[in-house]
Amino acid sequence: MTVHNLYIFDRCGTCLHYSEWNRKKQAGISKDEECKLMYGMLFSIRSFVGKMSPVDMKDGFLSFQTSRYKLHYYETPTGVKVVMNTDLGVPNCRDILHQIYSTLFVELVVRNPLCDPSAPLQSELFSSRLDAFIRALPFFSPRAG
């Protein structure tokens, strides 16, 4: 099992951070275009799920999977969206995405007066701590195929 990549978007759709670990295939487009496509897909899926659900969904959209990967989604009350793509064997990551937001993003970005939380992150400390956090996950495997 493994983690492929992770996106963090603000409430307006700006990609604040992107990291990848075990991604085998590139999209063939720029990272900026890929981030726009990912955000557009998330926007559409959230809207679809909200309209089609037969009951009021308190948590909303949490994840979806294809035959190749699983997308895990967490949205904060302030509209920050954390998205992680993993392989199919990884269980629900809602708590992990919440930890990334609360212990890394809030502590190292939001509470840092030198960081603008609405601009793409330039924090090496955040990047290195995120990398260490992901690599320490029980399902992270650096050589997963």
Side-chain angles (χ1 to χ4, degrees):
M1 295 187 283
T2 193
V3 175
H4 299 299
N5 55 15
L6 181 128
Y7 301 83
I8 300 176
F9 295 101
D10 71 4
R11 65 184 176 152
C12 299
T14 302
C15 186
L16 302 176
H17 182 78
Y18 174 79
S19 293
E20 64 183 46
W21 290 270
N22 294 307
R23 186 173 178 178
K24 301 289 186 218
K25 182 180 176 191
Q26 298 301 316
I29 57 176
S30 71
K31 288 291 178 220
D32 189 46
E33 287 296 315
E34 181 180 329
C35 289
K36 288 177 184 176
L37 284 172
M38 176 62 75
Y39 187 80
M41 180 188 72
L42 292 170
F43 184 84
S44 298
I45 288 175
R46 284 183 56 242
S47 175
F48 177 78
V49 167
K51 290 177 180 165
M52 297 305 292
S53 175
V55 295
D56 184 27
M57 294 186 56
K58 183 183 99 174
D59 291 330
F61 163 63
L62 301 175
S63 67
F64 81 85
Q65 72 181 43
T66 70
S67 61
R68 301 271 182 198
Y69 71 94
K70 187 172 187 179
L71 181 141
H72 305 268
Y73 179 77
Y74 175 74
E75 184 172 355
T76 70
T78 60
V80 173
K81 296 154 187 69
V82 184
V83 180
M84 184 166 59
N85 290 311
T86 66
D87 68 5
L88 297 174
V90 175
N92 185 333
C93 289
R94 184 170 179 79
D95 292 339
I96 291 168
L97 297 180
H98 174 73
Q99 272 188 284
I100 289 170
Y101 173 75
S102 63
T103 62
L104 297 174
F105 187 79
V106 170
E107 295 298 323
L108 301 173
V109 178
V110 175
R111 293 186 178 170
N112 183 345
L114 300 176
C115 287
D116 178 2
S118 63
L121 299 178
Q122 303 296 321
S123 172
E124 287 296 320
L125 180 61
F126 175 80
S127 296
S128 64
R129 293 255 179 101
L130 175 64
D131 185 63
F133 180 86
I134 296 294
R135 290 178 185 278
L137 293 172
F139 50 80
F140 180 84
S141 172
R143 289 174 279 206

